[in-house]
Amino acid sequence: MDGNERVVTSVARAGNTRTDSAHNRYNIDPKDLIRIQREGRERGEDIIGFYHSHPDHPARWSPTDLAEAHWFGCSYVITSVEKGNAAITNSFELTGTDEGDKKLADEKIEVV
Ligand SMILES: [Zn+2]
């Protein structure tokens, strides 16, 4: 613990608005996001990240994941799912200053 870590205190499910290829693309319903942000603020919580799964694909971000990540400083958590079972979970922080230089950087996660 060095004081810079973010601590997950709750998680919320959100609907996937994509219907064209929902298995490998995702887009959180903006209505869900606004509601979740409001409910969190009432508890003194901020949104610090987003999670999604990769069915039968590695727990690495895809070019689409980077393109669709817009919350700088937030964590993007990806869990690989093999034959229906959660396998590996990795987390990446969206770094950079704008859409032109953004990156998803490996970050350590710890389950406590
Ligand atoms: Zn993905």
Side-chain angles (χ1 to χ4, degrees), residues 24-26 52-54 58 60-62 64-66 78:
N24 61 3
R25 306 289 293 268
Y26 76 101
H52 70 282
S53 62
H54 280 182
R60 304 293 308 177
W61 56 270
S62 67
T64 305
D65 289 332
L66 178 61
I78 299 172

Side-chain angles (χ1 to χ4, degrees), residues 6 8 48-52 59-61 73-80 88-95 103-111:
R6 289 173 292 237
V8 177
I48 59 168
F50 304 90
Y51 70 93
H52 70 282
R60 304 293 308 177
W61 56 270
C74 274
S75 297
Y76 286 79
V77 177
I78 299 172
T79 296
S80 63
I88 293 167
T89 296
N90 289 319
S91 187
F92 310 91
E93 180 186 354
L94 185 65
T95 63
K103 287 188 178 65
L104 283 168
D106 290 23
E107 67 179 356
K108 208 165 122 252
I109 51 175
E110 189 180 346
V111 178

Side-chain angles (χ1 to χ4, degrees), residues 33-66:
L33 194 51
I34 289 164
R35 174 183 53 78
I36 290 162
Q37 192 166 36
R38 190 186 58 235
E39 290 172 356
R41 280 185 180 149
E42 288 167 2
R43 294 190 301 262
E45 295 173 329
D46 293 319
I47 291 176
I48 59 168
F50 304 90
Y51 70 93
H52 70 282
S53 62
H54 280 182
D56 300 311
H57 281 282
R60 304 293 308 177
W61 56 270
S62 67
T64 305
D65 289 332
L66 178 61

Side-chain angles (χ1 to χ4, degrees), residues 10-38:
S10 50
V11 295
R13 292 184 64 89
N16 187 349
T17 61
R18 293 193 71 104
T19 51
D20 52 341
S21 57
H23 62 288
N24 61 3
R25 306 289 293 268
Y26 76 101
N27 186 43
I28 295 168
D29 187 329
K31 289 199 296 292
D32 281 346
L33 194 51
I34 289 164
R35 174 183 53 78
I36 290 162
Q37 192 166 36
R38 190 186 58 235

